[in-house]
Structures are given as structure tokens and as C-alpha cells.
Amino acid sequence: MKYLKPLIIASALAAGNALAADNEVDHTGNVMLSAEIGAITTSGNTAGTSVTGRFEILQDTLRWSNEYTGNGYFKEDRARVNGEETKQRSAERYQFAAKAGYKLLEENSTLFALAAFSEDRFGAYTRSASLGVGHGFRVYQSDDKTLDMEAGPGFFKATRANGEEDRGLVLRGRAAFRWKLSENASFAQMLTVERASWNTHSTSETSLSARINGSMHMKAAFNAINDTVVPIDKKNTDTQTSVTLVYSF
């Protein structure tokens, strides 16, 4: 539970900052929510279930731009041994984050504070929490493409799979590239890197989305999590390929 404290504090700050925006301005319709889910179930000689899901809440006011995100993934295999069915969990990962961004006079430029918490039962880090501050800005914009970046210092605390604990200052950077291929299709590439003296932790998502109707999309994505230093029995990179339905409102 102690890892949840930074996230709860950041969420409260973000909500408080949004409410502190000019009450005389009508910001109706400034909140966008989206949720996505994908699942695979197999039976017969090979049986199992895998589920992936994600939610995102974007809140835009006169002075603040806030984000709340969460995602999860688990996989359970079933097998029959000596006539009895056994279950074995082979993947279980959750992540939550909150970010509050204060808008500067320059368009698409913010000062932000963020908090994140993750738990990965089978990963190189079984639990981690981070806090950070920084500057976000737009590097490139055209009619159909944008490139946004952010950078700043932070504090990272995590427990490795072997029980060892890492904590200390990190330098965090993030890049988000979006390309509108057509009225109904878009491409996105997201990359986040947290560099410390003992490890470099990075996450990446490459996705392609196609609109089904006004609020429903089909999304194909490739996700990767990489750590440069891991316990001897762990691999440096975990990957996930998924196809999900995304509903936005």
C-alpha cells in the first residue's frame, strides 16, 4: 500500500488543480474517457485465457491539462495432469499513473508533475513507484503529424524479482509521435525512458488504430518493456502484441 501514496497524492493534486481553474469559464465537454479491452480464450488440448485492458481519462481546462491512465494484463494456462485440471498464472501486470500539467503561454507547452505505480508478478521489477516533474513541449506539427516530448528529473523506487531494492534520482524523457493516416486510421509511437546510475528502464508502444464507428476503434499494438540490468534468471525485454477494441466518450 505504501507505493500507492505517491499516486494518490498526484491524483488529488491534479483534481484540485482542475477545480482551481477559472470558475467563470464554461469548460463543459473538457473530459474525454476511453477504455480498451482484448481477450483470448482457448480450449481443447491447449487451454488458457489472456486478457489485456487499459483506461485513459484526459481533462483539459483553461490552465490545466491532466491525465489519468491505467492498464493491466494477465495470462492463465490450464492443463490436465493425471486426470486433474491444473491452472498456472504465467503473466500478471498492472500499472497506474497520474499527471497534472500547467499550461504555459506558449501553445502546447506545459510544466507537469506525475506519479506512477506498477506491479509485475513475473517481471524484472515486481513492484515500482516513481515521481517526476518536467517540461512538455511540441517539437513538430503538420496537418497530419505531431511530435511531442517531455523531460525532467524524478525519483524511482522499485523491488527486483530477487528481492533487492533500487531507489534514487532518475532522468526521465518521453516522446509521442502521432500520424493521422486518413479520416478513419491513425498511427502512434510512444517511448518513455527513465535513466539512473544502476539501470535504464524504458517502455514503448507502437499502435495502429482504425475507426469502426463514431466512438469505437479497433487497435493493434506492440508493447515492449526493457531494463538494461536484470536478475540472472530474467530477460531484459518483455513484449506484448495485442488487438483490442477501444471505446471513447
Side-chain angles (χ1 to χ4, degrees), residues 78-87:
R78 298 190 300 273
R80 188 166 293 277
V81 179
N82 297 326
E84 296 185 0
E85 186 178 87
T86 62
K87 297 181 180 180

Side-chain angles (χ1 to χ4, degrees), residues 57-200:
I57 303 173
L58 304 179
Q59 185 180 40
D60 188 58
T61 71
L62 182 64
R63 297 184 179 91
W64 295 88
S65 177
N66 305 317
E67 301 178 19
Y68 310 88
T69 60
N71 63 75
Y73 170 70
F74 84 89
K75 183 174 185 292
E76 186 175 76
D77 301 315
R78 298 190 300 273
R80 188 166 293 277
V81 179
N82 297 326
E84 296 185 0
E85 186 178 87
T86 62
K87 297 181 180 180
Q88 181 177 5
R89 184 70 56 88
S90 56
E92 185 176 344
R93 181 169 62 246
Y94 309 97
Q95 184 178 37
F96 302 94
K99 181 171 71 172
Y102 181 78
K103 297 179 181 178
L104 302 177
L105 294 178
E106 182 183 355
E107 187 177 5
N108 297 310
S109 181
T110 62
L111 293 177
F112 67 85
L114 63 85
F117 167 80
S118 67
E119 189 164 326
D120 189 348
R121 182 177 172 186
F122 300 94
Y125 283 106
T126 57
R127 181 173 289 184
S128 66
S130 61
L131 293 168
V133 295
H135 178 216
F137 51 94
R138 178 154 293 176
V139 178
Y140 174 79
Q141 181 172 352
S142 67
D143 292 338
D144 58 353
K145 302 180 186 70
T146 60
L147 175 60
D148 296 296
M149 300 190 72
E150 56 187 49
F155 180 82
F156 183 80
K157 180 179 180 180
T159 303
R160 293 180 179 269
N162 58 9
E164 296 178 356
E165 187 174 274
D166 291 330
R167 65 167 68 192
L169 297 177
V170 298
L171 182 62
R172 179 183 178 276
R174 184 175 187 270
F177 174 72
R178 297 177 177 86
W179 182 8
K180 186 177 181 180
L181 302 174
S182 68
E183 289 297 322
N184 298 311
S186 61
F187 171 85
Q189 174 65 60
M190 312 293 179
L191 175 65
T192 301
V193 178
E194 292 177 316
R195 182 174 177 81
S197 59
W198 65 87
N199 181 45
T200 298

Side-chain angles (χ1 to χ4, degrees), residues 15-28:
N17 290 333
L19 293 175
D22 192 350
N23 292 327
E24 297 180 359
V25 179
D26 182 11
H27 297 300
T28 302

